[in-house]
Amino acid sequence: MRLLVTANQTPFVAGGANHHVEGLVAALREHGHQVECLRLPFHYDEHHIRRQMAYAEGLEVRAPNDVAVDRVISLQFPGYGVSHPEHVVWLMHQHRVCYELYDPTAASAALRELRPEVEAYDARHLARARWLFANSPRVAERLREHSGLTAEPLYHPPHQAERFTCADDWGYVFYPSRLESLKRQALLIQAVALCREPVRLLLAGQGSQGAALAALIEKLGVADRVRLLGHIGEAEKLTLYAHATAVAFPSFDEDYGYITLEAMLSAKPVITCTDSGGPLAFVEPGVTGWISEPTPEAMAVALEEAWSHRARSREMGRAGRSAYAEKQITWPRVVERLLQPA
Amino acid sequence: MSRSTDLETLVERLRDAAATLDADQPPIAPPIGDWHRRLDELRDRQEEPFPLLDPAAPSLAELLALDRDDETFVAGLYQHLLGRDIDPEGLRHYLAECRRAGRLAVAVAISESEESLQHCKQHAICLPAGLQRAWRWRKRLARLRGPGQRLWQSSLRRVTRWRKSRWALDAALCRLLVQEPNWTAERHQLATAILEMDDRQRHFGHRQDHEYARQQALWQQLAAWRRAGQPATSADAPRPVEAAAAAGELDAYYLAFEAAFRGPEADIAAHLDHYRGDWTRARRVGEHALDLGCGRGEWLRLLRQAGFSPRGIDLNATMVEHCREQGFEAAQQDALAALRACEADSLALISGFHIAEHLPFEALFALVAEAHRALAPGGVLILETPNPENLIVASYSFYHDLTHRNPLTPPTLQFLLQFHGFGDAAIRRFNPPPEETRVPGEGAVVERLNAMLAAPMDYAVTGTKAAPSQEGI
């Protein structure tokens, strides 16, 4: 098939979205399709967004230059505004500042004006897509709330999934993430301070909260048990996953969350929170991990359990690996779903 | 403070481990062995010999197990009604009873025992109504002593005769129903394990493609590096050439010899068609082709049809004349000198059919190096020569031609091309000997003999000059 993938281009801003787009294009090519990835420049400014929406709507994608396109797969706003009879939308997320991140009290006049236009744009185009998928159950849920549309959650594997492995437990809980308030490293540090067991915690990543977290570790007197590792490379990340006792992922309202999947691939149990969003679709409490209230006390209980009952933690990790295998999170499966016959 | 050092040690240890990982670059993590564990489980899973659909309420048919042998039946009754393994004495006794009085009688006897009643009460096992009816019957008939005993036994036999096939079917059906969910689960487990393996296989495949491309790039780099390290050889610097003062008479001999031993021109043309893929590929790069040792010009004709403007060289003046008569551009020239006279990156295709075996190694070595220099990126080199894997060729027919030096083995020639930068150098074998050459019969010895006697008689190594490497190494 001749396939067109539409996505955004944001020069010099890299992120998980790029892995997602490139992974999809590579997988489609590998299945023998002719694929072109149409990257539309994206700028967050309201004035630009209005022009970008109009541009996407006006694009000729049925047969550009008289070359017929069999199917179009769109991943992002506003690229999903193109018109094609065989249009698949696999939604990463909507334009979030107009939805779950919209705050009427803080919104600028321009944003207030733009918002109904974006909502109308989504209503117009998302409803018209022939097939509608979401990146995760959480994204599907938000889409239902905001736009009243039903999307099938469709998972994809994390970057280089085949490289994750499990090795001897060296006795520490691992959490790799940017150091930001929403990622809630502070909650974990407080929990460690409450633990009676000598639970050790390794936090990887950089971010705006680095200094505050360092101060918190100092203040709670847990410097002998918690370490901020700063930026880590790919090999370090794989090693840290492989030797961990358990992986913590207490982040707030994630879309999808590669960390859960990476932990499961490394056969490690996951400690997450009731309001963490994405991870909840994967963690089965008592079987593949713990789902705690987002309080230091509740987290401490989970940490101690993971720490004290090593054999059980190992068993839960293995169950996680099996659960991952059963969910069929593979690119071939993604291709199969996206290219299902009309 | 000691604890903090402890944490320090851990971080150090992790960094060390990560550093090894960096150096080793394992493209695919060592298997966690999850599928292995699943498959082990499946293999080692013990089938329960005598499962019950509902252990708390077995049916009479299940207990009688008429689809199983006596021993399984008695051992099963012990398991289900007494909750223990059977002892050898009990087994002997009840096996004899089975033969004498039948299974129904044995089931009644065991179920009626104090031990069974105790066990069933304790585990809330409800025995089938049929057995309980039989107890009442036996009690009543027991009052009649001898005749009662006989009546009891004959009635059991009658009931058994009447119900036997039905019971056997019921028992088998119950067992199938018990096992069915296991089969579904096992099938699922097996499929998951296989899918996981399949997924890894896919990754290995990718990796292999990647490594292959990398290897080609390496050969290419090696060749470039070697050339850079060598003093430049100028094309017009005269080189001592093989004694080329061939008398006209000798040339004529060779032309006749070719016709007699290499077959008619038409046959050769048919054989050359094997290289269609190679010339098609080369034609995309350009139209200039050079045939070393062009002989009677079969290849030149083919190349002209394929849209090339081919040139041939040969040491044999008669052959050259033969080619010119047919309108081909041909010159009497030494192969190496001809190549040296070519500009770098100027040719799309260089071929040498049955010339490599005429050259001393130094000349062959230089010929491949020069060919790589003269080819344009994407251009193709073909060298065809007799295949010494065939014993007859290696020990006999190779020496028909008195100007042959020594046979060249396929891996040697392939390596020579790779060494000079043809990273994709591949071996292809042609012209199997006639069927009658094979030793008739079967078996390891015959197969071994035929592998040697009936191997293809010619082979070629073809290589493409890679485009400048994209990949920095």
Side-chain angles (χ1 to χ4, degrees):
Chain A
M1 273 202 245
R2 238 185 245 129
L3 304 170
L4 207 56
V5 174
T6 78
N8 288 348
Q9 179 129 35
T10 49
F12 308 112
V13 182
N18 258 339
H19 155 64
H20 190 167
V21 175
E22 280 160 20
L24 172 63
V25 170
L28 292 169
R29 291 215 171 110
E30 193 190 312
H31 279 72
H33 299 289
Q34 272 179 278
V35 189
E36 293 275 358
C37 183
L38 198 61
R39 293 274 200 166
L40 304 172
F42 183 83
H43 190 293
Y44 63 85
D45 175 77
E46 287 85 359
H47 169 63
H48 282 277
I49 287 191
R50 196 167 286 122
R51 288 210 332 234
Q52 289 158 56
M53 289 196 292
Y55 181 71
E57 279 182 310
L59 270 179
E60 164 56 43
V61 294
R62 288 160 192 254
N65 301 301
D66 300 329
V67 180
V69 170
D70 297 313
R71 197 170 283 199
V72 175
I73 302 172
S74 296
L75 298 167
Q76 289 172 305
F77 168 84
Y80 51 65
V82 301
S83 298
H84 192 283
E86 306 275 301
H87 192 192
V88 188
V89 175
W90 184 18
L91 192 65
M92 280 188 199
H93 49 71
Q94 290 168 282
H95 190 47
R96 299 183 69 179
V97 292
C98 291
Y99 293 98
E100 66 269 17
L101 301 183
Y102 183 76
D103 177 1
T105 55
S108 67
L111 182 60
R112 261 201 290 276
E113 204 183 316
L114 178 71
R115 189 168 173 242
E117 292 175 45
V118 170
E119 284 173 337
Y121 183 90
D122 284 359
R124 209 159 48 237
H125 298 296
L126 289 178
R128 247 189 16 206
R130 178 114 191 223
W131 297 271
L132 191 52
F133 296 92
N135 205 13
S136 72
R138 184 73 192 116
V139 171
E141 195 179 316
R142 290 194 204 127
L143 180 67
R144 196 169 327 106
E145 267 169 43
H146 300 310
S147 307
L149 293 168
T150 308
E152 175 187 329
L154 179 62
Y155 304 129
H156 66 283
H159 184 53
Q160 296 194 321
E162 69 281 3
R163 297 197 62 179
F164 289 87
T165 189
C166 180
D168 290 346
D169 168 5
W170 286 355
Y172 60 92
V173 174
F174 179 48
Y175 180 27
S177 188
R178 280 177 301 115
L179 306 179
E180 303 295 343
S181 314
L182 282 180
K183 303 294 181 187
R184 296 201 295 212
Q185 281 89 355
L187 188 62
L188 269 179
I189 297 171
Q190 287 162 344
V192 167
L194 293 178
C195 285
R196 282 176 306 270
E197 298 284 335
V199 178
R200 296 192 291 193
L201 174 66
L202 297 182
L203 299 167
Q206 292 168 314
S208 64
Q209 296 298 302
L213 291 172
L216 182 66
I217 292 170
E218 212 46 53
K219 186 180 134 215
L220 294 177
V222 287
D224 58 340
R225 289 199 266 146
V226 183
R227 181 61 46 100
L228 294 171
L229 298 174
H231 172 77
I232 53 166
E234 276 296 304
E236 279 178 295
K237 185 173 91 172
L238 294 170
T239 310
L240 281 155
Y241 268 118
H243 290 289
T245 306
V247 169
F249 193 16
S251 185
F252 176 74
D253 201 14
E254 285 284 334
D255 286 349
Y256 183 41
Y258 288 129
I259 294 172
T260 328
L261 303 180
E262 291 171 348
M264 290 166 96
L265 281 167
S266 309
K268 304 297 174 187
V270 180
I271 302 170
T272 188
C273 295
T274 46
D275 58 357
S276 290
L280 302 180
F282 296 97
V283 178
E284 199 182 330
V287 182
T288 63
W290 295 263
I291 298 179
S292 301
E293 290 296 323
T295 63
E297 293 76 17
M299 296 294 289
V301 171
L303 287 172
E304 288 201 318
E305 268 192 43
W307 187 264
S308 324
H309 307 289
R310 294 299 177 82
R312 179 147 177 273
S313 294
R314 261 198 304 283
E315 192 44 55
M316 286 167 100
R318 277 203 288 270
R321 174 93 186 177
S322 302
Y324 182 96
E326 304 226 337
K327 282 198 187 290
Q328 297 185 32
I329 307 175
T330 63
W331 282 113
R333 153 118 180 120
V334 167
V335 172
E336 184 191 314
R337 294 301 296 146
L338 293 181
L339 298 186
Q340 60 186 286
Chain B
M1 211 54 229
S2 72
R3 282 257 192 79
S4 188
T5 345
D6 198 34
L7 198 61
E8 212 60 65
T9 319
L10 171 66
V11 173
E12 277 308 307
R13 195 174 166 203
L14 281 161
R15 291 241 151 95
D16 281 352
T20 7
L21 191 63
D22 252 342
D24 290 352
Q25 285 287 346
I28 296 159
I32 286 184
D34 200 53
W35 69 76
H36 204 267
R37 197 166 55 93
R38 285 159 190 264
L39 293 175
D40 277 348
E41 261 174 37
L42 277 177
R43 188 197 52 202
D44 299 338
R45 185 167 296 163
Q46 293 287 331
E47 282 284 344
E48 204 188 326
F50 200 152
L52 295 177
L53 200 50
D54 179 2
S59 73
L60 184 58
E62 279 180 285
L63 289 180
L64 292 178
L66 283 160
D67 58 333
R68 295 289 162 106
D69 60 21
D70 283 349
E71 197 170 327
T72 316
F73 156 71
V74 180
L77 279 189
Y78 264 65
Q79 257 333 316
H80 295 306
L81 300 184
L82 309 182
R84 64 177 170 94
D85 287 337
I86 193 163
D87 48 284
E89 196 185 330
L91 183 64
R92 224 173 10 256
H93 170 71
Y94 282 115
L95 282 182
E97 276 298 289
C98 280
R99 280 190 292 277
R100 195 184 63 79
R103 287 196 187 184
L104 194 52
V106 171
V108 170
I110 295 181
S111 67
E112 225 180 3
S113 71
E114 195 52 40
E115 190 183 352
S116 160
L117 292 175
Q118 200 71 34
H119 177 79
C120 291
K121 196 170 157 198
Q122 207 175 349
H123 293 86
I125 297 169
C126 174
L127 288 175
L131 269 185
Q132 296 181 12
R133 254 200 318 277
W135 299 345
R136 286 198 293 277
W137 260 89
R138 201 165 86 92
K139 278 201 188 101
R140 258 178 251 158
L141 291 172
R143 289 189 217 118
L144 301 176
R145 293 173 190 276
Q149 201 54 232
R150 277 194 298 281
L151 185 58
W152 158 249
Q153 277 172 5
S154 72
S155 61
L156 281 189
R157 267 197 289 276
R158 202 159 13 174
V159 172
T160 303
R161 238 193 334 272
W162 177 40
R163 301 290 303 266
K164 190 170 183 176
S165 58
R166 180 62 202 262
W167 277 336
L169 269 179
D170 281 356
L173 181 64
C174 286
R175 217 176 325 282
L176 289 179
L177 286 174
V178 174
Q179 287 164 344
E180 203 228 333
N182 292 343
W183 294 333
T184 313
E186 283 171 12
R187 198 177 54 216
H188 181 75
Q189 210 173 343
L190 204 59
T192 311
I194 290 171
L195 281 173
E196 198 176 331
M197 285 202 279
D198 182 58
D199 197 43
R200 294 188 74 79
Q201 183 61 44
R202 205 165 48 80
H203 286 300
F204 281 123
H206 278 310
R207 194 65 207 176
Q208 193 183 342
D209 292 348
H210 177 78
E211 290 300 341
Y212 181 69
R214 210 174 120 85
Q215 189 200 0
Q216 281 207 31
L218 277 170
W219 279 115
Q220 168 77 4
Q221 267 213 335
L222 181 63
W225 169 78
R226 276 196 57 262
R227 269 199 299 281
Q230 257 184 4
T233 44
S234 102
D236 40 41
R239 268 279 197 133
V241 169
E242 291 272 301
E249 221 176 331
L250 263 179
D251 285 358
Y253 165 81
Y254 212 73
L255 189 63
F257 172 83
E258 280 278 280
F261 284 82
R262 279 200 74 199
E265 288 177 49
D267 284 6
I268 292 188
H271 161 62
L272 292 178
D273 201 52
H274 286 133
Y275 297 98
R276 181 174 292 275
D278 300 295
W279 81 61
T280 313
R281 203 148 36 89
R283 185 64 190 80
R284 289 193 209 119
V285 178
E287 56 172 32
H288 295 293
L290 177 63
D291 188 26
L292 307 171
C294 61
R296 292 171 295 177
E298 302 95 344
W299 179 245
L300 295 178
R301 178 171 308 113
L302 212 146
L303 289 182
R304 192 157 61 188
Q305 283 162 8
F308 285 92
S309 56
R311 198 156 60 81
I313 61 105
D314 207 301
L315 279 178
N316 186 315
T318 317
M319 299 275 195
V320 170
E321 203 48 47
H322 184 84
C323 289
R324 283 190 180 146
E325 273 166 23
Q326 297 173 73
F328 295 118
E329 189 188 338
Q332 186 187 4
Q333 204 177 4
D334 167 64
L336 201 49
L339 278 173
R340 288 203 166 114
C342 291
E343 276 180 40
D345 298 341
S346 63
L347 296 173
L349 179 63
I350 298 174
S351 46
F353 292 94
H354 296 258
I355 61 153
E357 68 274 23
H358 292 267
L359 302 176
F361 177 64
E362 294 74 18
L364 180 60
F365 186 87
L367 183 141
V368 177
E370 284 298 319
H372 192 267
R373 185 189 61 82
L375 278 175
V380 177
L381 171 67
I382 301 173
L383 289 179
E384 187 187 289
T385 185
N387 182 9
E389 289 168 338
N390 182 311
L391 213 56
I392 304 294
V393 171
S395 64
Y396 172 68
S397 63
F398 183 84
Y399 300 100
H400 286 327
D401 186 334
L402 297 170
T403 59
H404 279 177
R405 297 181 75 96
N406 48 273
L408 296 159
T409 63
T412 305
L413 197 53
Q414 182 187 34
F415 183 79
L416 183 61
L417 261 72
Q418 283 175 339
F419 183 78
H420 285 295
F422 295 98
D424 70 339
I427 301 168
R428 278 151 58 200
R429 298 168 171 82
F430 308 107
N431 302 338
E435 195 52 34
E436 54 271 23
T437 321
R438 301 183 73 85
V439 177
E442 279 173 16
V445 178
V446 173
E447 260 171 45
R448 189 89 176 265
L449 270 176
N450 276 331
M452 292 190 282
L453 294 174
M457 297 185 295
D458 296 305
Y459 78 96
V461 173
T462 56
T464 314
K465 177 168 172 178
S469 160
Q470 300 288 319
E471 191 168 332
I473 293 162

